[in-house]
Amino acid sequence: MTSKTRVVVIGAGLAGVTLARRLGELGTPALLVGDEEHRPYNRVLLAEVLAGRYSPEVIALPAPAGLLRGRVTGVDRAGRTVRCADGSVIAYDTLVLATGSNAVLPPLRGLFSPDHELPEGVHAFRTMDDCLGLSKAVRPGARAVVIGGGLLGVSAARALAVRGAQVVLAQQSERLMERQLDPAASALVRRHLEGLGVEVHTECRVRDVRGVGGAVRSVEMGDGYALGTDLVVLACGVRPRVGLAREAGLDVGKGVLVDDELRTSDPHIRAVGDCAEHAGRVYGLAAPALEQADVLAGLLAGDGTGSGAAAPRYTGTRSLTRLTLTGPDGPFGGPDGPFDLAAFGETDPRPGDDVVQLADATRGTYRKVVVRDDRLVGGVLVGELGTVGALARAWEGAEPLPSDGGPLLHLLTQDGGS
Ligand SMILES: Cc1cc2nc3c(=O)[nH]c(=O)nc-3n(C[C@H](O)[C@H](O)[C@H](O)COP(=O)(O)OP(=O)(O)OC[C@H]3O[C@@H](n4cnc5c(N)ncnc54)[C@H](O)[C@@H]3O)c2cc1C
């Protein structure tokens, strides 16, 4: 890459900001175009803002130089330019899509008005605007229904309960956070939420949102029961934002398809973060977004330097999911302490796998690891994360574990726990 090469990054989220900052450090400044009004922020911490624990300023990301506020509405691949909503046109040599995900809006009757606006009181939970809107609407005693019991729904329900709302969490499948947690860990999360007064309903489908005068009044369950509510939070998952890529004719699966150099089907366009699909995987998590941004910065800054060093490659992220739910130290403190959990790899054993499990019902802690062919393939820790670093390293390294099992037990208990 020559010094004239112009890198334009679309999307000032975790991936885009990290990439632009790293490129700046490596002497290849980029132009970053982001469509959110707020200063770039760490989306992972939005629930902390909703819970009243952090102000929006606390979760702001250090903004890189060269940040332009605006929405890119089209890509002209032949002319190598992008068009913005304000009519401006920006030329690029390398374009990076870091457009993230959108909240999935479930197909509920009554959700959309003819002008595609959500009814008043119904909120997605993806952006700072969503978070501030919800935060403004919630008050002690307000009735809230959270639809979806994954990571997002659990965080939102916890935060709203901490703010004094009467929360009902409706989860369609049979347990909470089923993608990450095994049944025992799920049960502890449920117990924790119920301890905060959240009413948890599993195998519960919401089919209708009802309002009066454009404002939500109730939701109707699959069995016809109507539940009065002031607020509804839609936490039904996310979908990669691939509209620009698709319209530009790039190859798109669930996300924008990229190779090990994060290159799309157009060699001048790369993609990173939630919008990218690598080796059949769309991660939707922060750690892969950061790793991809880091690799791409190395690739773009290194091109053409003639250093002879092997080009970095992105070969996938073994990603640990970690959730800390706010404790009583916030201004809207809850009745108990912080609640931590971490999960990685496969937490449900296959036949023939070895499982080591330690549970302490009184303290509400639970630790489990799954071992296959002498290798750690997954684990889940709830309430007590002292050993998470050592376990994650053993998992990431994928080295065979000594066969007597001693070191494994040590890994589970080395913090001195039970
Ligand atoms: C409430 C919440 C909690 C979460 N908790 C966790 C967690 O505990 N652990 C975890 O690993 N992950 C978590 N995540 C997921 C994590 O936030 C995402 O994986 C991460 O933000 C992905 O980064 P990204 O830069 O790819 O996308 P994003 O952060 O979504 O950023 C994309 C940006 O691009 C902008 N954009 C899109 N299109 C355009 C356009 N055409 N023009 C200009 N700008 C555009 C968007 O507005 C957005 O600002 C959470 C997400 C949420 C919402």
Side-chain angles (χ1 to χ4, degrees), residues 10-16 33-36 43-44 46 70-72 98-101 125-126 151-152 241 244 273-274 284-287 289 322:
I10 308 177
L14 271 180
V33 189
D35 65 354
E36 291 192 68
R43 200 173 302 281
V44 169
L46 277 182
R71 188 160 57 84
V72 173
T99 50
S101 307
F125 190 37
R126 175 74 195 171
L151 180 83
L152 270 190
R241 272 176 89 161
L244 276 180
D274 275 16
L285 289 170
R322 195 167 172 158

PDB file of all heavy atoms in Angstrom, residues 10-16 33-36 43-44 46 70-72 98-101 125-126 151-152 241 244 273-274 284-287 289 322, ligand 1:
ATOM      1  N   ILE A  10     -16.694   1.898   6.847  1.00  0.00           N
ATOM      2  CA  ILE A  10     -18.111   2.250   7.085  1.00  0.00           C
ATOM      3  C   ILE A  10     -18.568   1.583   8.379  1.00  0.00           C
ATOM      4  O   ILE A  10     -18.606   0.350   8.476  1.00  0.00           O
ATOM      5  CB  ILE A  10     -19.020   1.770   5.941  1.00  0.00           C
ATOM      6  CG1 ILE A  10     -18.490   2.251   4.595  1.00  0.00           C
ATOM      7  CG2 ILE A  10     -20.444   2.284   6.157  1.00  0.00           C
ATOM      8  CD1 ILE A  10     -19.306   1.736   3.413  1.00  0.00           C
ATOM      9  N   GLY A  11     -18.922   2.411   9.366  1.00  0.00           N
ATOM     10  CA  GLY A  11     -19.431   1.896  10.641  1.00  0.00           C
ATOM     11  C   GLY A  11     -18.470   2.193  11.778  1.00  0.00           C
ATOM     12  O   GLY A  11     -17.349   1.686  11.792  1.00  0.00           O
ATOM     13  N   ALA A  12     -18.929   3.039  12.713  1.00  0.00           N
ATOM     14  CA  ALA A  12     -18.063   3.428  13.843  1.00  0.00           C
ATOM     15  C   ALA A  12     -18.488   2.691  15.109  1.00  0.00           C
ATOM     16  O   ALA A  12     -18.725   3.290  16.157  1.00  0.00           O
ATOM     17  CB  ALA A  12     -18.107   4.947  14.043  1.00  0.00           C
ATOM     18  N   GLY A  13     -18.595   1.359  15.001  1.00  0.00           N
ATOM     19  CA  GLY A  13     -18.838   0.519  16.172  1.00  0.00           C
ATOM     20  C   GLY A  13     -17.513  -0.025  16.682  1.00  0.00           C
ATOM     21  O   GLY A  13     -16.441   0.494  16.346  1.00  0.00           O
ATOM     22  N   LEU A  14     -17.593  -1.111  17.445  1.00  0.00           N
ATOM     23  CA  LEU A  14     -16.373  -1.681  18.047  1.00  0.00           C
ATOM     24  C   LEU A  14     -15.324  -2.038  16.992  1.00  0.00           C
ATOM     25  O   LEU A  14     -14.140  -1.706  17.143  1.00  0.00           O
ATOM     26  CB  LEU A  14     -16.730  -2.955  18.811  1.00  0.00           C
ATOM     27  CG  LEU A  14     -17.118  -2.814  20.271  1.00  0.00           C
ATOM     28  CD1 LEU A  14     -17.424  -4.188  20.852  1.00  0.00           C
ATOM     29  CD2 LEU A  14     -16.018  -2.130  21.058  1.00  0.00           C
ATOM     30  N   ALA A  15     -15.766  -2.704  15.920  1.00  0.00           N
ATOM     31  CA  ALA A  15     -14.813  -3.160  14.903  1.00  0.00           C
ATOM     32  C   ALA A  15     -14.236  -1.977  14.131  1.00  0.00           C
ATOM     33  O   ALA A  15     -13.015  -1.876  13.960  1.00  0.00           O
ATOM     34  CB  ALA A  15     -15.497  -4.146  13.951  1.00  0.00           C
ATOM     35  N   GLY A  16     -15.109  -1.086  13.652  1.00  0.00           N
ATOM     36  CA  GLY A  16     -14.651   0.039  12.835  1.00  0.00           C
ATOM     37  C   GLY A  16     -13.719   0.964  13.594  1.00  0.00           C
ATOM     38  O   GLY A  16     -12.665   1.373  13.085  1.00  0.00           O
ATOM     39  N   VAL A  33     -16.598   6.410   8.672  1.00  0.00           N
ATOM     40  CA  VAL A  33     -17.915   7.039   8.508  1.00  0.00           C
ATOM     41  C   VAL A  33     -18.923   6.279   9.373  1.00  0.00           C
ATOM     42  O   VAL A  33     -19.116   5.074   9.195  1.00  0.00           O
ATOM     43  CB  VAL A  33     -18.383   6.990   7.030  1.00  0.00           C
ATOM     44  CG1 VAL A  33     -19.634   7.848   6.844  1.00  0.00           C
ATOM     45  CG2 VAL A  33     -17.287   7.434   6.088  1.00  0.00           C
ATOM     46  N   GLY A  34     -19.546   6.979  10.326  1.00  0.00           N
ATOM     47  CA  GLY A  34     -20.490   6.320  11.232  1.00  0.00           C
ATOM     48  C   GLY A  34     -21.804   7.073  11.275  1.00  0.00           C
ATOM     49  O   GLY A  34     -21.824   8.305  11.248  1.00  0.00           O
ATOM     50  N   ASP A  35     -22.908   6.326  11.342  1.00  0.00           N
ATOM     51  CA  ASP A  35     -24.214   6.991  11.241  1.00  0.00           C
ATOM     52  C   ASP A  35     -24.892   7.231  12.594  1.00  0.00           C
ATOM     53  O   ASP A  35     -25.993   7.768  12.628  1.00  0.00           O
ATOM     54  CB  ASP A  35     -25.145   6.194  10.312  1.00  0.00           C
ATOM     55  CG  ASP A  35     -25.489   4.820  10.858  1.00  0.00           C
ATOM     56  OD1 ASP A  35     -24.926   4.431  11.902  1.00  0.00           O
ATOM     57  OD2 ASP A  35     -26.322   4.137  10.236  1.00  0.00           O
ATOM     58  N   GLU A  36     -24.275   6.811  13.714  1.00  0.00           N
ATOM     59  CA  GLU A  36     -24.937   7.090  14.994  1.00  0.00           C
ATOM     60  C   GLU A  36     -24.561   8.489  15.459  1.00  0.00           C
ATOM     61  O   GLU A  36     -23.442   8.947  15.246  1.00  0.00           O
ATOM     62  CB  GLU A  36     -24.533   6.043  16.038  1.00  0.00           C
ATOM     63  CG  GLU A  36     -25.106   4.666  15.727  1.00  0.00           C
ATOM     64  CD  GLU A  36     -24.962   3.712  16.894  1.00  0.00           C
ATOM     65  OE1 GLU A  36     -25.627   3.928  17.916  1.00  0.00           O
ATOM     66  OE2 GLU A  36     -24.173   2.752  16.772  1.00  0.00           O
ATOM     67  N   ARG A  43     -20.686  -1.006  22.848  1.00  0.00           N
ATOM     68  CA  ARG A  43     -22.063  -1.513  22.867  1.00  0.00           C
ATOM     69  C   ARG A  43     -22.270  -2.587  23.942  1.00  0.00           C
ATOM     70  O   ARG A  43     -23.353  -2.730  24.494  1.00  0.00           O
ATOM     71  CB  ARG A  43     -22.341  -2.119  21.476  1.00  0.00           C
ATOM     72  CG  ARG A  43     -23.774  -2.268  21.107  1.00  0.00           C
ATOM     73  CD  ARG A  43     -23.905  -2.705  19.647  1.00  0.00           C
ATOM     74  NE  ARG A  43     -23.292  -1.789  18.703  1.00  0.00           N
ATOM     75  CZ  ARG A  43     -23.845  -0.656  18.310  1.00  0.00           C
ATOM     76  NH1 ARG A  43     -25.024  -0.302  18.749  1.00  0.00           N
ATOM     77  NH2 ARG A  43     -23.219   0.138  17.454  1.00  0.00           N
ATOM     78  N   VAL A  44     -21.231  -3.354  24.232  1.00  0.00           N
ATOM     79  CA  VAL A  44     -21.323  -4.431  25.215  1.00  0.00           C
ATOM     80  C   VAL A  44     -21.794  -3.907  26.577  1.00  0.00           C
ATOM     81  O   VAL A  44     -22.396  -4.635  27.357  1.00  0.00           O
ATOM     82  CB  VAL A  44     -19.935  -5.112  25.336  1.00  0.00           C
ATOM     83  CG1 VAL A  44     -19.863  -6.043  26.507  1.00  0.00           C
ATOM     84  CG2 VAL A  44     -19.588  -5.826  24.040  1.00  0.00           C
ATOM     85  N   LEU A  46     -23.967  -1.424  27.157  1.00  0.00           N
ATOM     86  CA  LEU A  46     -25.234  -0.665  27.151  1.00  0.00           C
ATOM     87  C   LEU A  46     -26.145  -1.033  28.314  1.00  0.00           C
ATOM     88  O   LEU A  46     -26.846  -0.177  28.862  1.00  0.00           O
ATOM     89  CB  LEU A  46     -25.985  -0.898  25.837  1.00  0.00           C
ATOM     90  CG  LEU A  46     -25.564  -0.052  24.639  1.00  0.00           C
ATOM     91  CD1 LEU A  46     -26.440  -0.396  23.450  1.00  0.00           C
ATOM     92  CD2 LEU A  46     -25.651   1.442  24.959  1.00  0.00           C
ATOM     93  N   GLY A  70     -22.167  10.340   9.306  1.00  0.00           N
ATOM     94  CA  GLY A  70     -23.001  10.277   8.107  1.00  0.00           C
ATOM     95  C   GLY A  70     -23.350   8.843   7.796  1.00  0.00           C
ATOM     96  O   GLY A  70     -22.765   7.920   8.363  1.00  0.00           O
ATOM     97  N   ARG A  71     -24.339   8.675   6.934  1.00  0.00           N
ATOM     98  CA  ARG A  71     -24.752   7.316   6.573  1.00  0.00           C
ATOM     99  C   ARG A  71     -24.392   7.044   5.124  1.00  0.00           C
ATOM    100  O   ARG A  71     -24.719   7.853   4.241  1.00  0.00           O
ATOM    101  CB  ARG A  71     -26.267   7.147   6.791  1.00  0.00           C
ATOM    102  CG  ARG A  71     -26.744   5.707   6.623  1.00  0.00           C
ATOM    103  CD  ARG A  71     -28.083   5.519   7.313  1.00  0.00           C
ATOM    104  NE  ARG A  71     -29.066   6.456   6.802  1.00  0.00           N
ATOM    105  CZ  ARG A  71     -29.783   6.263   5.713  1.00  0.00           C
ATOM    106  NH1 ARG A  71     -29.655   5.160   5.005  1.00  0.00           N
ATOM    107  NH2 ARG A  71     -30.647   7.175   5.305  1.00  0.00           N
ATOM    108  N   VAL A  72     -23.712   5.960   4.905  1.00  0.00           N
ATOM    109  CA  VAL A  72     -23.375   5.576   3.529  1.00  0.00           C
ATOM    110  C   VAL A  72     -24.591   4.873   2.934  1.00  0.00           C
ATOM    111  O   VAL A  72     -25.148   3.945   3.544  1.00  0.00           O
ATOM    112  CB  VAL A  72     -22.141   4.645   3.510  1.00  0.00           C
ATOM    113  CG1 VAL A  72     -21.886   4.108   2.104  1.00  0.00           C
ATOM    114  CG2 VAL A  72     -20.916   5.392   4.026  1.00  0.00           C
ATOM    115  N   ALA A  98     -17.908  -2.313   8.118  1.00  0.00           N
ATOM    116  CA  ALA A  98     -17.957  -2.667   9.551  1.00  0.00           C
ATOM    117  C   ALA A  98     -19.325  -2.228  10.059  1.00  0.00           C
ATOM    118  O   ALA A  98     -19.442  -1.505  11.052  1.00  0.00           O
ATOM    119  CB  ALA A  98     -16.817  -1.989  10.304  1.00  0.00           C
ATOM    120  N   THR A  99     -20.351  -2.682   9.334  1.00  0.00           N
ATOM    121  CA  THR A  99     -21.703  -2.140   9.542  1.00  0.00           C
ATOM    122  C   THR A  99     -22.489  -2.854  10.645  1.00  0.00           C
ATOM    123  O   THR A  99     -23.625  -2.486  10.930  1.00  0.00           O
ATOM    124  CB  THR A  99     -22.495  -2.198   8.214  1.00  0.00           C
ATOM    125  OG1 THR A  99     -22.376  -3.522   7.676  1.00  0.00           O
ATOM    126  CG2 THR A  99     -21.950  -1.210   7.199  1.00  0.00           C
ATOM    127  N   GLY A 100     -21.903  -3.876  11.263  1.00  0.00           N
ATOM    128  CA  GLY A 100     -22.522  -4.465  12.458  1.00  0.00           C
ATOM    129  C   GLY A 100     -23.796  -5.234  12.180  1.00  0.00           C
ATOM    130  O   GLY A 100     -23.968  -5.849  11.125  1.00  0.00           O
ATOM    131  N   SER A 101     -24.691  -5.218  13.155  1.00  0.00           N
ATOM    132  CA  SER A 101     -25.959  -5.957  13.059  1.00  0.00           C
ATOM    133  C   SER A 101     -27.123  -5.030  13.369  1.00  0.00           C
ATOM    134  O   SER A 101     -26.955  -3.990  13.999  1.00  0.00           O
ATOM    135  CB  SER A 101     -26.037  -7.064  14.119  1.00  0.00           C
ATOM    136  OG  SER A 101     -24.955  -7.903  14.093  1.00  0.00           O
ATOM    137  N   PHE A 125     -33.196  -3.231  21.515  1.00  0.00           N
ATOM    138  CA  PHE A 125     -32.111  -2.981  22.467  1.00  0.00           C
ATOM    139  C   PHE A 125     -30.789  -3.248  21.758  1.00  0.00           C
ATOM    140  O   PHE A 125     -30.182  -4.286  21.927  1.00  0.00           O
ATOM    141  CB  PHE A 125     -32.296  -3.886  23.688  1.00  0.00           C
ATOM    142  CG  PHE A 125     -31.382  -3.558  24.837  1.00  0.00           C
ATOM    143  CD1 PHE A 125     -31.054  -2.246  25.141  1.00  0.00           C
ATOM    144  CD2 PHE A 125     -30.849  -4.563  25.621  1.00  0.00           C
ATOM    145  CE1 PHE A 125     -30.210  -1.949  26.196  1.00  0.00           C
ATOM    146  CE2 PHE A 125     -30.000  -4.280  26.675  1.00  0.00           C
ATOM    147  CZ  PHE A 125     -29.683  -2.966  26.965  1.00  0.00           C
ATOM    148  N   ARG A 126     -30.391  -2.284  20.936  1.00  0.00           N
ATOM    149  CA  ARG A 126     -29.166  -2.465  20.158  1.00  0.00           C
ATOM    150  C   ARG A 126     -28.268  -1.220  20.222  1.00  0.00           C
ATOM    151  O   ARG A 126     -27.071  -1.331  20.270  1.00  0.00           O
ATOM    152  CB  ARG A 126     -29.539  -2.757  18.696  1.00  0.00           C
ATOM    153  CG  ARG A 126     -28.359  -2.851  17.749  1.00  0.00           C
ATOM    154  CD  ARG A 126     -27.602  -4.153  17.932  1.00  0.00           C
ATOM    155  NE  ARG A 126     -26.289  -4.113  17.305  1.00  0.00           N
ATOM    156  CZ  ARG A 126     -25.358  -5.036  17.454  1.00  0.00           C
ATOM    157  NH1 ARG A 126     -25.599  -6.093  18.191  1.00  0.00           N
ATOM    158  NH2 ARG A 126     -24.193  -4.929  16.863  1.00  0.00           N
ATOM    159  N   LEU A 151     -28.771 -13.731  25.833  1.00  0.00           N
ATOM    160  CA  LEU A 151     -27.880 -12.804  26.538  1.00  0.00           C
ATOM    161  C   LEU A 151     -28.476 -11.390  26.641  1.00  0.00           C
ATOM    162  O   LEU A 151     -28.488 -10.780  27.707  1.00  0.00           O
ATOM    163  CB  LEU A 151     -26.552 -12.762  25.771  1.00  0.00           C
ATOM    164  CG  LEU A 151     -25.461 -11.873  26.309  1.00  0.00           C
ATOM    165  CD1 LEU A 151     -24.704 -12.586  27.396  1.00  0.00           C
ATOM    166  CD2 LEU A 151     -24.503 -11.467  25.209  1.00  0.00           C
ATOM    167  N   LEU A 152     -29.024 -10.913  25.519  1.00  0.00           N
ATOM    168  CA  LEU A 152     -29.576  -9.558  25.496  1.00  0.00           C
ATOM    169  C   LEU A 152     -30.793  -9.411  26.389  1.00  0.00           C
ATOM    170  O   LEU A 152     -30.904  -8.459  27.161  1.00  0.00           O
ATOM    171  CB  LEU A 152     -30.051  -9.232  24.080  1.00  0.00           C
ATOM    172  CG  LEU A 152     -29.092  -8.590  23.123  1.00  0.00           C
ATOM    173  CD1 LEU A 152     -29.834  -8.148  21.885  1.00  0.00           C
ATOM    174  CD2 LEU A 152     -28.411  -7.425  23.786  1.00  0.00           C
ATOM    175  N   ARG A 241     -25.913  -6.557   9.170  1.00  0.00           N
ATOM    176  CA  ARG A 241     -26.375  -5.489   8.256  1.00  0.00           C
ATOM    177  C   ARG A 241     -25.635  -5.649   6.937  1.00  0.00           C
ATOM    178  O   ARG A 241     -24.491  -5.211   6.803  1.00  0.00           O
ATOM    179  CB  ARG A 241     -26.072  -4.123   8.856  1.00  0.00           C
ATOM    180  CG  ARG A 241     -27.180  -3.640   9.748  1.00  0.00           C
ATOM    181  CD  ARG A 241     -26.829  -2.347  10.417  1.00  0.00           C
ATOM    182  NE  ARG A 241     -27.195  -1.160   9.658  1.00  0.00           N
ATOM    183  CZ  ARG A 241     -27.307   0.040  10.212  1.00  0.00           C
ATOM    184  NH1 ARG A 241     -27.068   0.219  11.490  1.00  0.00           N
ATOM    185  NH2 ARG A 241     -27.632   1.078   9.479  1.00  0.00           N
ATOM    186  N   LEU A 244     -25.946  -2.856   2.156  1.00  0.00           N
ATOM    187  CA  LEU A 244     -25.018  -2.163   1.243  1.00  0.00           C
ATOM    188  C   LEU A 244     -24.262  -3.165   0.388  1.00  0.00           C
ATOM    189  O   LEU A 244     -24.106  -2.985  -0.821  1.00  0.00           O
ATOM    190  CB  LEU A 244     -23.981  -1.374   2.057  1.00  0.00           C
ATOM    191  CG  LEU A 244     -24.324   0.010   2.564  1.00  0.00           C
ATOM    192  CD1 LEU A 244     -23.130   0.561   3.342  1.00  0.00           C
ATOM    193  CD2 LEU A 244     -24.699   0.936   1.418  1.00  0.00           C
ATOM    194  N   GLY A 273     -16.201  -7.747  11.745  1.00  0.00           N
ATOM    195  CA  GLY A 273     -17.192  -7.588  12.820  1.00  0.00           C
ATOM    196  C   GLY A 273     -18.480  -8.353  12.551  1.00  0.00           C
ATOM    197  O   GLY A 273     -18.512  -9.314  11.777  1.00  0.00           O
ATOM    198  N   ASP A 274     -19.533  -7.902  13.197  1.00  0.00           N
ATOM    199  CA  ASP A 274     -20.822  -8.604  13.148  1.00  0.00           C
ATOM    200  C   ASP A 274     -21.356  -8.807  11.731  1.00  0.00           C
ATOM    201  O   ASP A 274     -22.131  -9.725  11.480  1.00  0.00           O
ATOM    202  CB  ASP A 274     -21.891  -7.794  13.909  1.00  0.00           C
ATOM    203  CG  ASP A 274     -21.897  -8.073  15.400  1.00  0.00           C
ATOM    204  OD1 ASP A 274     -20.911  -8.644  15.900  1.00  0.00           O
ATOM    205  OD2 ASP A 274     -22.892  -7.703  16.057  1.00  0.00           O
ATOM    206  N   GLY A 284     -21.285 -12.341  15.888  1.00  0.00           N
ATOM    207  CA  GLY A 284     -22.177 -11.495  16.694  1.00  0.00           C
ATOM    208  C   GLY A 284     -21.655 -11.233  18.085  1.00  0.00           C
ATOM    209  O   GLY A 284     -22.424 -10.965  19.001  1.00  0.00           O
ATOM    210  N   LEU A 285     -20.334 -11.302  18.253  1.00  0.00           N
ATOM    211  CA  LEU A 285     -19.728 -11.085  19.569  1.00  0.00           C
ATOM    212  C   LEU A 285     -18.544 -10.127  19.451  1.00  0.00           C
ATOM    213  O   LEU A 285     -17.949  -9.980  18.373  1.00  0.00           O
ATOM    214  CB  LEU A 285     -19.236 -12.410  20.159  1.00  0.00           C
ATOM    215  CG  LEU A 285     -20.318 -13.382  20.621  1.00  0.00           C
ATOM    216  CD1 LEU A 285     -19.714 -14.737  20.950  1.00  0.00           C
ATOM    217  CD2 LEU A 285     -21.088 -12.830  21.827  1.00  0.00           C
ATOM    218  N   ALA A 286     -18.213  -9.518  20.601  1.00  0.00           N
ATOM    219  CA  ALA A 286     -17.194  -8.470  20.585  1.00  0.00           C
ATOM    220  C   ALA A 286     -15.790  -9.006  20.293  1.00  0.00           C
ATOM    221  O   ALA A 286     -15.044  -8.410  19.509  1.00  0.00           O
ATOM    222  CB  ALA A 286     -17.212  -7.743  21.928  1.00  0.00           C
ATOM    223  N   ALA A 287     -15.420 -10.138  20.908  1.00  0.00           N
ATOM    224  CA  ALA A 287     -14.032 -10.598  20.777  1.00  0.00           C
ATOM    225  C   ALA A 287     -13.643 -10.878  19.319  1.00  0.00           C
ATOM    226  O   ALA A 287     -12.575 -10.430  18.870  1.00  0.00           O
ATOM    227  CB  ALA A 287     -13.802 -11.829  21.659  1.00  0.00           C
ATOM    228  N   ALA A 289     -14.940  -9.527  16.670  1.00  0.00           N
ATOM    229  CA  ALA A 289     -14.914  -8.237  15.962  1.00  0.00           C
ATOM    230  C   ALA A 289     -13.576  -7.546  16.200  1.00  0.00           C
ATOM    231  O   ALA A 289     -12.952  -7.015  15.272  1.00  0.00           O
ATOM    232  CB  ALA A 289     -16.076  -7.348  16.440  1.00  0.00           C
ATOM    233  N   ARG A 322     -18.972 -13.825  28.135  1.00  0.00           N
ATOM    234  CA  ARG A 322     -18.886 -13.443  29.534  1.00  0.00           C
ATOM    235  C   ARG A 322     -19.959 -12.407  29.821  1.00  0.00           C
ATOM    236  O   ARG A 322     -20.185 -11.514  29.038  1.00  0.00           O
ATOM    237  CB  ARG A 322     -17.500 -12.850  29.779  1.00  0.00           C
ATOM    238  CG  ARG A 322     -17.194 -12.765  31.220  1.00  0.00           C
ATOM    239  CD  ARG A 322     -15.734 -12.475  31.452  1.00  0.00           C
ATOM    240  NE  ARG A 322     -15.603 -12.235  32.868  1.00  0.00           N
ATOM    241  CZ  ARG A 322     -14.500 -12.353  33.537  1.00  0.00           C
ATOM    242  NH1 ARG A 322     -13.397 -12.680  32.939  1.00  0.00           N
ATOM    243  NH2 ARG A 322     -14.472 -12.124  34.831  1.00  0.00           N
TER     244      ARG A 322
HETATM  245  C1  LIG B   1     -26.941  -4.670  24.732  1.00  0.00           C
HETATM  246  C2  LIG B   1     -25.839  -5.497  24.106  1.00  0.00           C
HETATM  247  C3  LIG B   1     -25.023  -6.277  24.912  1.00  0.00           C
HETATM  248  C4  LIG B   1     -24.007  -7.052  24.352  1.00  0.00           C
HETATM  249  N1  LIG B   1     -23.239  -7.790  25.173  1.00  0.00           N
HETATM  250  C5  LIG B   1     -22.229  -8.518  24.657  1.00  0.00           C
HETATM  251  C6  LIG B   1     -21.376  -9.282  25.509  1.00  0.00           C
HETATM  252  O1  LIG B   1     -21.584  -9.340  26.724  1.00  0.00           O
HETATM  253  N2  LIG B   1     -20.336  -9.964  24.952  1.00  0.00           N
HETATM  254  C7  LIG B   1     -20.094  -9.913  23.599  1.00  0.00           C
HETATM  255  O2  LIG B   1     -19.119 -10.511  23.117  1.00  0.00           O
HETATM  256  N3  LIG B   1     -20.888  -9.203  22.749  1.00  0.00           N
HETATM  257  C8  LIG B   1     -21.950  -8.517  23.252  1.00  0.00           C
HETATM  258  N4  LIG B   1     -22.752  -7.796  22.403  1.00  0.00           N
HETATM  259  C9  LIG B   1     -22.481  -7.841  20.946  1.00  0.00           C
HETATM  260  C10 LIG B   1     -21.396  -6.814  20.558  1.00  0.00           C
HETATM  261  O3  LIG B   1     -21.810  -5.554  20.979  1.00  0.00           O
HETATM  262  C11 LIG B   1     -21.175  -6.828  19.035  1.00  0.00           C
HETATM  263  O4  LIG B   1     -20.705  -8.103  18.663  1.00  0.00           O
HETATM  264  C12 LIG B   1     -20.164  -5.773  18.590  1.00  0.00           C
HETATM  265  O5  LIG B   1     -20.641  -4.499  18.917  1.00  0.00           O
HETATM  266  C13 LIG B   1     -19.891  -5.873  17.081  1.00  0.00           C
HETATM  267  O6  LIG B   1     -19.154  -4.764  16.658  1.00  0.00           O
HETATM  268  P1  LIG B   1     -19.303  -4.187  15.170  1.00  0.00           P
HETATM  269  O7  LIG B   1     -18.403  -3.012  15.096  1.00  0.00           O
HETATM  270  O8  LIG B   1     -19.165  -5.281  14.196  1.00  0.00           O
HETATM  271  O9  LIG B   1     -20.821  -3.736  15.064  1.00  0.00           O
HETATM  272  P2  LIG B   1     -21.595  -2.553  15.789  1.00  0.00           P
HETATM  273  O10 LIG B   1     -21.075  -2.351  17.166  1.00  0.00           O
HETATM  274  O11 LIG B   1     -23.051  -2.854  15.603  1.00  0.00           O
HETATM  275  O12 LIG B   1     -21.235  -1.260  14.953  1.00  0.00           O
HETATM  276  C14 LIG B   1     -21.643  -1.067  13.631  1.00  0.00           C
HETATM  277  C15 LIG B   1     -21.808   0.424  13.403  1.00  0.00           C
HETATM  278  O13 LIG B   1     -21.964   0.669  12.004  1.00  0.00           O
HETATM  279  C16 LIG B   1     -22.957   1.650  11.829  1.00  0.00           C
HETATM  280  N5  LIG B   1     -23.453   1.572  10.445  1.00  0.00           N
HETATM  281  C17 LIG B   1     -24.158   0.550   9.887  1.00  0.00           C
HETATM  282  N6  LIG B   1     -24.450   0.819   8.608  1.00  0.00           N
HETATM  283  C18 LIG B   1     -23.921   2.040   8.344  1.00  0.00           C
HETATM  284  C19 LIG B   1     -23.915   2.874   7.181  1.00  0.00           C
HETATM  285  N7  LIG B   1     -24.504   2.498   6.045  1.00  0.00           N
HETATM  286  N8  LIG B   1     -23.298   4.078   7.256  1.00  0.00           N
HETATM  287  C20 LIG B   1     -22.674   4.481   8.399  1.00  0.00           C
HETATM  288  N9  LIG B   1     -22.658   3.728   9.546  1.00  0.00           N
HETATM  289  C21 LIG B   1     -23.285   2.530   9.500  1.00  0.00           C
HETATM  290  C22 LIG B   1     -23.971   1.282  12.892  1.00  0.00           C
HETATM  291  O14 LIG B   1     -24.885   2.322  13.168  1.00  0.00           O
HETATM  292  C23 LIG B   1     -23.053   1.002  14.071  1.00  0.00           C
HETATM  293  O15 LIG B   1     -22.730   2.169  14.755  1.00  0.00           O
HETATM  294  C24 LIG B   1     -23.801  -7.037  22.946  1.00  0.00           C
HETATM  295  C25 LIG B   1     -24.637  -6.250  22.120  1.00  0.00           C
HETATM  296  C26 LIG B   1     -25.645  -5.505  22.701  1.00  0.00           C
HETATM  297  C27 LIG B   1     -26.532  -4.672  21.800  1.00  0.00           C
END
